[in-house]
Amino acid sequence: MATCEHAVAAGGKTAPQQFEENNLSEAKRVIAVLSGKGGVGKSFVTGSLAVELARRGNKVGILDADITGPSIPKMLGMSGRHASGIGNLLLPEVSTTGIKVMSSNLLLANETDPVLWRGPVIAGAIRQFWSDTSWGPLDYLLVDMPPGTGDVALTVFQSLPVDGIVVVTSPQDLVSMIVAKAVNMADKMNVPILGIIENMSYITCPDCGKKIEVFGPSKLNEVAEGYGVKVLGRLPIDPSLALACDAGAIEEALPADLLPDAIAACEAVEPHEGEVAGENA
Ligand code: ADP
């Protein structure tokens, strides 16, 4: 687990300290899902990993740190819902299959309200989602990161005890630049990159089943090899999944075992042991 020491090493003496976990929460593994830019399917991958981990009997939470573009509640059928509270703590909303979610969308009066928050307010929201949210015991807390590898993402990394990073790219990305930036950030934070997933990698012809690489042959393998990072999977463009996400039905629609290598990488992260106070399991 990254410590405050690492955060300070990464950002100098003024680097923010990690936020404290409250005594009603115990996340055994904290895994961040990162992308170089928005729209590549980072949230979709976060949601997919959460669904598969939950199907395997794990207690799973998603901390939606994509504060200004939150899409996790919608894909898990939580549109229009609002987080409630208990004492001074917020309670995550719970999906049909038991995935707990905290997101700026669950705190807005209307989910279509724009979130125009700047850096410090975003950092405050992340603190609320971590320190002031009663998560209970979790085998996995997935963090849907803000898009990009800039300041906002760095602040989130410095604030949360992230154990591993999954990088999501798409074939239109400048993959080598994104991987370089992610590797750089991970090094600074002393957090391992678990691997890379290429989303929207190809389409499958509905008639003959052939894979068509719409954006040309993938460069993912050679880039990943160059940086010593694992490839955790390639996902097709699947219109039925886009529709399912829009309809809040990813839990029912997600094919079984879509990302086996990514799930194995999450499972390989060493869990932290601890005890959670109270009944909030
Ligand atoms: P990000 O979190 O990177 O901004 P999202 O996960 O919100 O991106 O995805 C952007 C849009 O693309 C969403 O409408 C989502 O449902 C859709 N999408 C993501 N991945 C796929 C995929 N493999 N096939 C079809 N649609 C996808």
Side-chain angles (χ1 to χ4, degrees):
M1 181 185 285
T3 68
C4 298
E5 243 170 60
H6 300 129
V8 171
K13 284 194 173 132
T14 54
Q17 299 276 303
Q18 261 182 25
F19 298 147
E20 296 267 326
E21 193 172 41
N22 61 66
N23 65 0
L24 292 176
S25 304
E26 174 63 35
K28 289 189 179 159
R29 302 173 188 85
V30 180
I31 295 170
V33 184
L34 183 75
S35 66
K37 61 174 186 191
V40 303
K42 167 183 57 60
S43 304
F44 169 67
V45 167
T46 309
S48 302
L49 293 176
V51 168
E52 180 62 29
L53 288 166
R55 283 178 184 168
R56 292 171 181 229
N58 295 293
K59 293 192 167 96
V60 181
I62 303 179
L63 190 160
D64 187 358
D66 193 350
I67 303 286
T68 56
S71 40
I72 295 292
K74 186 174 186 186
M75 78 175 71
L76 286 169
M78 296 176 178
S79 283
R81 289 212 229 156
H82 297 284
S84 51
I86 174 172
N88 293 332
L89 295 178
L90 290 165
L91 283 175
E93 278 297 298
V94 185
S95 75
T96 319
T97 64
I99 299 167
K100 294 181 174 178
V101 176
M102 185 47 74
S103 168
S104 58
N105 237 354
L106 300 170
L107 304 177
L108 299 173
N110 300 301
E111 68 170 0
T112 49
D113 288 349
V115 182
L116 302 170
W117 302 343
R118 289 178 191 271
V121 185
I122 291 178
I126 303 293
R127 178 194 290 276
Q128 273 196 304
F129 294 177
W130 174 255
S131 302
D132 303 340
T133 298
S134 177
W135 288 101
L138 292 176
D139 297 303
Y140 295 91
L141 180 69
L142 304 182
V143 181
D144 189 15
M145 293 290 293
T149 46
D151 276 357
V152 185
L154 193 62
T155 306
V156 176
F157 274 119
Q158 288 170 332
S159 310
L160 301 179
V162 175
D163 297 305
I165 300 169
V166 172
V167 180
V168 182
T169 63
S170 70
Q172 313 99 301
D173 274 343
L174 294 168
V175 177
S176 74
M177 194 174 77
I178 284 152
V179 175
K181 285 186 174 175
V183 167
N184 208 350
M185 185 178 256
D187 275 354
K188 273 192 189 166
M189 302 310 306
N190 208 13
V191 179
I193 293 191
L194 304 182
I196 311 177
I197 294 170
E198 186 173 76
N199 188 35
M200 309 196 201
S201 190
Y202 56 91
I203 53 170
T204 306
C205 173
D207 297 323
C208 69
K210 188 178 169 202
K211 286 183 181 179
I212 303 165
E213 295 183 294
V214 186
F215 303 101
S218 169
K219 299 181 194 73
L220 186 65
N221 283 344
E222 55 188 271
V223 171
E225 206 172 300
Y227 285 94
V229 177
K230 277 189 199 159
V231 173
L232 298 180
R234 295 176 68 203
L235 292 176
I237 298 175
D238 182 341
S240 70
L241 284 179
L243 287 173
C245 287
D246 261 2
I250 188 174
E251 287 167 298
E252 298 95 85
L254 195 76
D257 227 8
L258 190 64
L259 287 165
D261 294 344
I263 293 294
C266 293
E267 287 173 344
V269 172
E270 194 65 35
H272 310 282
E273 295 302 336
E275 274 184 30
V276 179
E279 295 293 309
N280 183 20

